[in-house]
Amino acid sequence: MRIHLICLYLIALLTGVIPPTPVQAADTTDLIVKVTDARYTSTVGRMLGAYQIRKLGEQTYLMRLPDGMPATFAERRIRNAEGVIYAVPDYERTVSRTPNDVLLAQQWSLGTIGVYDAWEITTGSPLPIAVIDTGVDAGHPELFGRVLGGFNAITGSTDASDDNGHGTAVAGLIAAAGDNGEGIAGLCWSCLIIPVKACLSNGRCRDSSVISAIRWATDNGARIINLSLGGSFDSPALRDAVRYASERGVLVVAASGNERADGNSPNYPAAYPETIAVGATGYNDEVTGFSNTGNFIDLVAPGINIATTLPNNRYAIVTGTSFAGPFVVGAAALVMAIRPDLSHNDVRCILAISADDRGTPGRDDEYGYGRLNVWHAVMTASTYGGCPLGVPTTTGNRDFDPFARVDPPSDGRSYFPETGHTLGGGFRTYWEQNGGLPIFGFPISEEFTEIGSDGKPVTVQYFERHRFEWRPENTPPYHVLLSRMGDDLLRRQGRDWYTFERSGPIQGCLYFAETNQALCEPFLSYWRNHGLEFDRKPGKSYAESLALFGLPLSMPRIEETQPGKVLIVQWFERARFELHPDGSVLLGLLGNELVGR
């Protein structure tokens, strides 16, 4: 009987929090302006007739416009004025929330994301986390004693109380007391909450308030910032604030938004590269129908029917990406509890590589790197020694850059002074047996760990013309896999080879029905004379050449391969053939181009 009473109580409380409309509000009459120098501020203000100017950050100001002057009109008026870097409306965003559903089960998500096992290792530390939202109820028993003094970015006061409930719900998921005999348990039982009110009681939040909130939280000791809010308008002013926090070592986590059914546009600030963008999943790890997707998604976490706290010692079941993000914040706090030496970029990397891969293998636009796994994250942190994503991060005082030149080794590895890199072990044997310098070029990196073609960490090495993946579980020559360098580089350039003109069969040429392209002289002879070594027989078979170069993706075409250098080229899955003025056929330096050299 008690269980039924609790559930009915939760149902009743759902009507107490008014969900804001998940769309942009009416046009603003305020403008956010960034100038090259503060001396331009008054000049720009006079041009606009601004009756109030408030500083938001370095050379960035909120300008209150005369009644009836739309911000879009003011923006056009000063867009090209001397000293103006940008002028953008003070867009309004909303807390990321969708209508609530009630389920009998409470906190089902904790088992899904491995929290119970993680708690066997740590329940957290007194880490300061800023919740930028509608405020937080500091008197709630689940949070009492661990809510620090806050800030109201709307009024400039210290009153960060919650007049909506959304902020308290977010804070509870992060830091509600565990093992205290009542209510729910947040992920980090010892974490400290910094309440920063940037949203009104209706859940709406002006960029100027969010910007002030981010900067205040950064300057007042926050290690992590949770932003369960967003909108579809990109703003350089908001981006500046997020970058301000990130450059000062603050981990910024943001909800991906709940507008998938309404256009699925990128949601800001989640879509900024400095943030961890979090989408929402349901009971079977499927991405929900409301959770925004796209190439900005980093992780997903449960976001349906989540039990959490409300003001005045209440509880409720909530739904939305707003409540997926706090799980990632709590997981990051547990990682920091056992590895306080790690940078925010290292923590971000750990959360990515420890996630449970879902959907398409590897990173994808629905799940990002996968669904959050807190236990895996904590375990990964305990032995973490560097990021395997190919992006340099700082671990303690150690800088990791696999592309930096190294000194000649003393362990017998080959050294190439031309690029300052070494080659050894299975990669060197493979390089030597399958074409060496003409086919692969010099190494341009050391061996390091990166996410492979299957979405899992793998040892790789980059060369001028290629990238090797070490796969010792495979039978040679597939113990080293070659990346699809041609395909990868075309995609990186935004060129879709599916739209290329098709040659069809041509007499005297080799035809590939898979791509409807033909391979003719002089490229045909080069193809036939090179390939991986399979059969230990003289010459190269069709299969050996195909394994090295892959299928042709284009007809021969004239392209500028380097500034001022125009050649006839043909693209393949793993290469680009180039016809040079002396009649020779060479392979393009796709490895260099892929890493920006």
Side-chain angles (χ1 to χ4, degrees):
M1 187 63 168
R2 183 174 181 178
I3 294 177
H4 290 291
L5 289 174
I6 291 174
C7 292
L8 290 172
Y9 185 48
L10 294 174
I11 294 171
L13 285 179
L14 290 178
T15 63
V17 181
I18 301 173
T21 305
V23 296
Q24 296 295 337
D27 289 343
T28 175
T29 57
D30 297 332
L31 201 66
I32 298 175
V33 181
K34 185 170 185 177
V35 294
T36 57
D37 190 280
R39 61 190 174 89
Y40 290 106
T41 307
S42 58
T43 302
V44 172
R46 285 193 297 271
M47 291 176 64
L48 297 174
Y51 66 89
Q52 184 181 2
I53 299 175
R54 177 160 64 91
K55 187 174 183 179
L56 298 177
E58 295 91 345
Q59 289 84 54
T60 305
Y61 301 86
L62 176 67
M63 297 194 177
R64 305 283 187 183
L65 305 177
D67 291 341
M69 180 187 287
T72 51
F73 170 83
E75 175 189 0
R76 290 193 297 270
R77 185 172 183 178
I78 66 166
R79 181 180 297 162
N80 298 317
E82 182 181 4
V84 174
I85 297 175
Y86 60 65
V88 291
D90 186 15
Y91 294 126
E92 183 175 85
R93 304 182 190 268
T94 61
V95 290
S96 303
R97 189 191 194 98
T98 58
N100 295 306
D101 289 320
V102 177
L103 293 178
L104 295 177
Q106 299 180 64
Q107 296 197 277
W108 62 270
S109 53
L110 299 183
T112 299
I113 60 177
V115 175
Y116 298 109
D117 290 330
W119 282 339
E120 293 296 324
I121 301 171
T122 180
T123 57
S125 63
L127 188 86
I129 298 172
V131 173
I132 296 177
D133 213 288
T134 61
V136 175
D137 178 8
H140 198 292
E142 299 279 18
L143 302 169
F144 184 74
R146 290 183 295 113
V147 179
L148 303 176
F151 177 64
N152 188 316
I154 303 169
T155 64
S157 69
T158 59
D159 180 10
S161 57
D162 189 358
D163 52 9
N164 171 277
H166 191 275
T168 302
V170 167
L173 294 176
I174 297 170
D179 200 25
N180 65 344
E182 62 176 293
I184 66 162
L187 265 68
C188 182
W189 302 352
S190 303
C191 281
L192 306 175
I193 296 295
I194 303 175
V196 188
K197 184 174 179 61
C199 305
L200 299 170
S201 60
N202 62 4
R204 299 188 180 281
C205 336
R206 286 290 182 192
D207 276 5
S208 51
S209 298
V210 177
I211 290 166
S212 296
I214 292 172
R215 289 178 173 271
W216 186 91
T218 301
D219 295 340
N220 284 271
R223 292 288 308 281
I224 306 174
I225 290 176
N226 184 92
L227 292 166
S228 289
L229 51 85
S232 59
F233 291 119
D234 183 6
S235 168
L238 183 61
R239 169 72 181 274
D240 276 354
V242 171
R243 186 185 291 120
Y244 178 87
S246 181
E247 288 176 348
R248 285 153 181 80
V250 179
L251 184 69
V252 182
V253 179
S256 74
N258 304 317
E259 293 74 47
R260 186 174 184 175
D262 299 319
N264 199 33
S265 60
N267 197 56
Y268 300 93
Y272 297 131
E274 293 85 0
T275 69
I276 297 179
V278 185
T281 53
Y283 296 108
N284 296 318
D285 272 353
E286 76 284 1
V287 175
T288 67
F290 59 78
S291 181
N292 289 28
T293 61
N295 59 10
F296 67 97
I297 299 296
D298 294 297
L299 294 167
V300 293
I304 287 180
N305 298 327
I306 306 298
T308 188
T309 51
L310 285 184
N312 302 318
N313 193 18
R314 296 179 300 161
Y315 300 86
I317 301 293
V318 295
T319 289
T321 56
S322 278
F323 311 109
F327 286 127
V328 173
V329 170
L334 296 183
V335 167
M336 292 180 180
I338 64 170
R339 289 295 302 272
D341 60 305
L342 296 180
S343 74
H344 68 303
N345 283 328
D346 286 309
V347 175
R348 177 178 184 147
C349 177
I350 287 170
L351 295 174
I353 64 177
S354 62
D356 290 342
D357 193 11
R358 295 290 185 266
T360 304
R363 198 218 160 275
D364 62 71
D365 289 352
E366 283 211 339
Y367 290 85
Y369 288 103
R371 198 256 299 125
L372 176 70
N373 189 314
V374 184
W375 180 60
H376 287 173
V378 170
M379 293 297 291
T380 300
S382 63
T383 58
Y384 178 83
C387 187
L389 295 176
V391 179
T393 59
T394 302
T395 305
N397 294 320
R398 190 184 126 216
D399 291 330
F400 175 67
D401 183 359
F403 295 95
R405 296 176 69 98
V406 300
D407 295 328
S410 57
D411 59 359
R413 294 173 62 86
S414 298
Y415 182 72
F416 297 86
E418 296 86 350
T419 58
H421 287 287
T422 68
L423 181 59
F427 281 166
R428 180 171 65 182
T429 301
Y430 184 93
W431 186 85
E432 292 171 344
Q433 291 178 348
N434 291 289
L437 192 61
I439 298 298
F440 303 117
F442 293 115
I444 59 173
S445 81
E446 295 301 292
E447 294 177 13
F448 67 104
T449 304
E450 190 175 53
I451 296 300
S453 54
D454 61 355
K456 302 295 184 182
V458 64
T459 299
V460 304
Q461 187 165 14
Y462 280 78
F463 297 81
E464 290 178 303
R465 298 184 174 93
H466 244 298
R467 172 184 176 273
F468 291 0
E469 290 187 11
W470 181 243
R471 302 288 182 176
E473 68 275 13
N474 295 344
T475 303
Y478 298 112
H479 63 301
V480 175
L481 294 185
L482 300 176
S483 297
R484 294 168 58 89
M485 299 295 281
D487 187 11
D488 289 346
L489 189 57
L490 285 172
R491 292 178 187 275
R492 180 76 62 86
Q493 296 172 350
R495 302 163 70 188
D496 184 358
W497 59 265
Y498 284 98
T499 65
F500 286 176
E501 182 182 358
R502 312 285 173 156
S503 68
I506 299 177
Q507 186 175 3
C509 302
L510 182 60
Y511 174 65
F512 298 82
E514 297 89 341
T515 56
N516 196 21
Q517 298 287 12
L519 176 57
C520 305
E521 295 295 351
F523 292 152
L524 178 56
S525 292
Y526 191 90
W527 159 280
R528 285 176 168 162
N529 291 328
H530 299 87
L532 300 183
E533 183 53 57
F534 287 175
D535 53 18
R536 299 184 182 178
K537 296 179 181 179
K540 297 299 178 184
S541 67
Y542 173 91
E544 289 174 326
S545 297
L546 184 66
L548 178 59
F549 300 121
L551 298 167
L553 304 180
S554 75
M555 296 171 55
R557 49 199 293 147
I558 297 175
E559 290 188 7
E560 187 177 39
T561 59
Q562 298 176 21
K565 188 173 186 179
V566 178
L567 300 172
I568 297 175
V569 306
Q570 187 168 9
W571 288 87
F572 294 79
E573 290 177 298
R574 299 185 181 91
R576 183 181 67 216
F577 288 10
E578 300 176 350
L579 180 61
H580 286 254
D582 62 359
S584 63
V585 174
L586 299 176
L587 297 179
L589 302 177
L590 302 192
N592 282 353
E593 293 176 32
L594 198 63
V595 300
R597 294 192 169 220

